[in-house]
Amino acid sequence: MTNEMLRLGLIGGGPGSFIGPVHRMAACLDARFVLSAGAFSRTLAKSRQQAARWGIPEDRAYDGVEALIAGERGRDDGVQAIAIATPNDSHFAIAKAALEAGFAVICDKPMTATLAEAEALAPIVVQSGRPFALTYTYTGYAMIREARARIADGAIGRVRKIMVDYPQGWLSERIEADNAQARWRTDPAKAGMGGAIGDIGVHAFQLAEYVSGLRAAELIADLPRVVTGRQLDDDCNVLLRFTGGVPGVLTASQIATGERNALRLRVYGEKGGLEWCHDAPGELILRWPEARTEIIHAGAPGLHSTAQRATRLPSGHPEGFIEAFATLYADFADMIEGSCGAQGLLPGIEDGLRSARFIDCAVRSNEARTWLSLPDIAR
């Protein structure tokens, strides 16, 4: 790690954005990045408005990735990495342009709007030789990394059941007309091939594979459109079979009235089980035979090094979503600087391809009403 902060350019994050400001806070939390420039809106006036709010000079506010690349390439203090925080339909074009221009890229999930775009982006990432990462935020939580390490070390024995649930209720009514976030997420032209499955289902899927170490091999999906008039699914129910025939269940819903962001992962093995819940992200519950339950807290002594790396405060001091997001940015900084500290921990092109294939397979399974194989990719 160097003492000099890396210079970051942000695409997206203009007035009214949710995830753009999250990227900014996370990138800057550990003083690994400084936000130096951005194309915060397609409208230059709005981009400059956001730049002024964040203390960025007007001449470093742009109206698109091409303008940002052209403006920053000629500067001694130009940006070294580009973050993508825009709707799904623009991810591919922005990532392609940034990678081919020589920038490291960190992108919001899902990686692209379509499977074809994901498959086209993969060789571009490889050919560029530049670091590429995806912000699957929940992988940045210390106790998710502790769970991953314990399963890999055989603490619960051979995995034999995986259950992941992600209920939200914010789309339980048709609010698209008045809510910009809802509008693009329910629009196939902006969101891509999946609605709820592409917005939060991929989080659940990626987390199940990330923690368990297993790959989903086949699935059958039911993706209803519960709210009348919706063009994309707003509820997801998926049965999975992982490597070795291990059964799994994934549910994700944005019409679960009253729910906020209740992501929960449970993995059961021959020796015991573990549970992690987003409502209490600093805890990992271990369940053992004879009704014995153990709760482990973030920041406690003896945690795996990957969990310690993702912890900033002593045990008992809560850390949350921004900190988990910041862990991904710290890992990304390590990648750019050539450190091996984040090796294998930070989601990248492989996770993006897996998730795109998951969405595509689930959509096709829903239409065919049958089990389908989920194509694997080389590790």
Side-chain angles (χ1 to χ4, degrees), residues 21-39:
V22 171
H23 275 267
R24 172 181 172 267
M25 288 184 281
C28 299
L29 183 64
D30 294 319
R32 301 296 302 278
F33 289 93
V34 58
L35 183 59
S36 301

Side-chain angles (χ1 to χ4, degrees), residues 3-178:
N3 292 323
E4 184 177 347
M5 288 190 286
L6 295 161
R7 299 179 297 276
L8 182 70
L10 175 63
I11 312 295
S17 169
F18 155 60
I19 205 65
V22 171
H23 275 267
R24 172 181 172 267
M25 288 184 281
C28 299
L29 183 64
D30 294 319
R32 301 296 302 278
F33 289 93
V34 58
L35 183 59
S36 301
F40 307 116
S41 173
R42 291 186 177 92
T43 304
L44 186 58
K46 289 183 178 179
S47 188
R48 288 175 173 172
Q49 176 187 343
Q50 193 66 40
R53 185 173 295 144
W54 286 342
I56 296 169
E58 182 178 288
D59 67 336
R60 301 190 75 175
Y62 306 93
D63 59 0
V65 66
E66 294 84 2
L68 184 147
I69 290 170
E72 294 296 308
R73 261 181 161 175
R75 302 180 65 107
D76 292 336
D77 62 348
V79 300
Q80 297 157 288
I82 290 177
I84 303 172
T86 59
N88 306 344
D89 65 312
S90 58
H91 288 185
F92 173 77
I94 296 170
K96 179 178 185 294
L99 289 164
E100 291 179 342
F103 294 98
V105 171
I106 186 166
C107 180
D108 233 34
K109 47 58 41 199
M111 184 171 73
T112 56
T114 68
L115 176 58
E117 287 180 341
E119 292 177 336
L121 186 60
I124 294 171
V125 171
V126 174
Q127 290 162 15
S128 75
R130 302 302 298 145
F132 178 82
L134 293 166
T135 52
Y136 281 100
T137 315
Y138 306 105
T139 64
Y141 279 107
M143 302 317 285
I144 282 295
R145 296 192 172 185
E146 181 70 19
R148 172 186 166 103
R150 288 187 179 234
I151 290 175
D153 289 344
I156 65 170
R158 185 181 67 85
V159 172
R160 55 187 186 186
K161 178 77 171 183
I162 301 169
M163 302 172 69
V164 59
D165 311 295
Y166 198 162
Q168 295 177 341
W170 73 292
L171 291 179
S172 58
E173 295 183 5
R174 192 167 168 80
I175 61 171
E176 288 88 323
D178 302 315

Side-chain angles (χ1 to χ4, degrees), residues 258-272:
E259 291 286 1
R260 296 174 300 170
N261 204 62
L263 175 61
R264 182 170 65 152
L265 173 69
R266 289 168 287 174
V267 183
Y268 299 98
E270 292 177 322
K271 299 178 183 177

